[in-house]
Amino acid sequence: PGTEITPLLTPDPTRPDVCIESTLPEETNPCRSASLMAAAEQYCAALNSTSSGYAACFDDVDPAGFYEDCLFDHCSGASVACDVLKEYERACIDAGEIDIVSVVDACGVCNGDGSSCQPTCVGSGDPHYRSFDGVAFNWQGQCEYVLASDCRSGSRVDGATANAFEVQVRNSRRRPLPGRQVTATVAVAVRLPMDTTSGDALGMGVSTARSILQLYRTPSQNTLGGAPLSPMLPYFDLFGNEITQSGRQFRVRVGSVGATVLWSSSSTVRVTLDGSSPLLNNTCGLCADANTVSADDAALSQMHNHWIAN
């Protein structure tokens, strides 16, 4: 469909030659312990309490289904449980109920304090996505996808580029377990923008053509420019790229475009743009366009086939 996208991740010989664009059965309820359920019930209480700020809407929009979805996402460890609360608020407004008290701050964060207003795209869980402009959706295809890319005029040529910032994700089916027939993000690749006129882009004998960071669930497998990443950490270069590790979490700062990528070494990846980033209104991929308009994100982000790297 349209231009081809060149994969950034090294091929996995254990994966089929042709990726599978299909949806697997939904995961069973993950609230398997009393502690998980208690935490989820506390987080989602606004949807289940007659004294909450949502109570005025209960007669107009039944919260039961939203409450179950919120519990499910929270027990899964997915940050998108907040999106269920946002969906309920939108449903109430659509129903004409204006007397609800929102639990979402000005930055779109549930129970937040308004201090985190930076466009952030998240892929997590099995897998849930939230675009830069706050639109939530689920997709369980078993392929490699462009999550976010620099799509300014001239940055992408025939679906690929030698130098532009790009984040790709690899989604694979989880190891079969009872009731868990889902996919998850298992690897992330980041193309670090470099000065293409420099013969030594990384300052360490690695050419611009190999300025690819690959991050896996097993940190010892991580590479930069094809070389093991661990001996290079913490990594800094002359082009504003930084890579640091805290526990199992990896932080990639791409200063030239005002972007930060976080990888949990599990199944969660976040891409955050600075308020002054040149990528605002200039991104493409599953994260959509970061133009502060959520209405166009569903069409852009859910062009799954278009964002396949093959």
Side-chain angles (χ1 to χ4, degrees):
T3 57
E4 291 190 356
I5 300 170
T6 303
L8 300 181
L9 287 160
T10 301
D12 181 352
T14 66
R15 292 167 58 86
D17 292 336
V18 178
C19 67
I20 304 169
E21 278 285 279
S22 63
T23 300
L24 295 169
E26 291 294 323
E27 182 177 9
T28 55
N29 196 319
C31 297
R32 295 178 296 276
S33 70
S35 59
L36 281 174
M37 179 61 80
E41 289 175 342
Q42 180 177 359
Y43 184 88
C44 304
L47 292 164
N48 194 45
S49 171
T50 55
S51 62
S52 79
Y54 290 172
C57 184
F58 285 175
D59 289 339
D60 298 310
V61 180
D62 186 353
F66 292 89
Y67 183 62
E68 292 301 316
D69 288 346
C70 185
L71 294 177
F72 182 100
D73 281 350
H74 195 278
C75 287
S76 297
S79 60
V80 292
C82 180
D83 292 323
V84 178
L85 300 177
K86 295 178 184 178
E87 289 173 7
Y88 186 75
E89 292 187 9
R90 285 193 291 268
C92 289
I93 293 172
D94 290 343
E97 180 56 66
I98 61 174
D99 293 330
I100 62 171
V101 179
S102 177
V103 300
V104 183
D105 70 10
C107 301
V109 177
C110 291
N111 304 311
D113 59 6
S115 64
S116 60
C117 290
Q118 291 179 304
T120 299
C121 176
V122 181
S124 66
D126 53 3
H128 307 283
Y129 293 99
R130 186 178 69 243
S131 72
F132 284 124
D133 297 323
V135 172
F137 65 98
N138 301 324
W139 179 243
Q140 297 198 32
Q142 302 175 67
C143 297
E144 293 172 16
Y145 302 89
V146 174
L147 183 66
S149 184
D150 180 350
C151 282
R152 289 175 289 179
S153 177
S155 292
R156 297 186 67 85
V157 179
D158 294 332
T161 169
N163 195 44
F165 168 74
E166 183 163 293
V167 181
Q168 294 183 8
V169 294
R170 173 180 290 165
N171 290 351
S172 292
R173 183 173 178 174
R174 285 181 175 176
R175 180 168 56 88
L177 292 171
R180 297 182 69 86
Q181 302 297 313
V182 296
T183 63
T185 300
V186 298
V188 175
V190 182
R191 180 190 289 117
L192 301 175
M194 300 289 180
D195 180 359
T196 57
T197 63
S198 170
D200 186 9
L202 296 176
M204 54 188 301
V206 181
S207 68
T208 54
R210 300 182 64 200
S211 57
I212 306 300
L213 171 66
Q214 300 189 30
L215 301 172
Y216 298 91
R217 284 185 163 181
T218 303
S220 62
Q221 297 177 351
N222 296 344
T223 63
L224 176 61
L229 175 64
S230 182
M232 307 182 201
L233 295 176
Y235 170 83
F236 306 89
D237 65 31
L238 298 177
F239 309 108
N241 300 308
E242 305 175 6
I243 307 170
T244 55
Q245 179 181 3
S246 177
R248 289 181 53 82
Q249 179 168 275
F250 288 82
R251 178 181 183 272
V252 184
R253 173 65 183 167
V254 186
S256 61
V257 295
T260 301
V261 181
L262 296 178
W263 168 238
S264 68
S265 297
S266 177
S267 62
T268 299
V269 56
R270 296 173 180 268
V271 183
T272 300
L273 303 180
D274 295 348
S276 59
S277 171
L279 299 186
L280 296 175
N281 197 27
N282 285 304
T283 60
C284 56
L286 295 177
C287 289
D289 53 10
N291 67 349
T292 74
V293 179
S294 60
D296 60 6
D297 280 17
L300 291 170
S301 61
Q302 296 191 44
M303 294 166 57
H304 307 123
N305 289 336
H306 187 77
W307 303 123
I308 291 177
N310 55 19

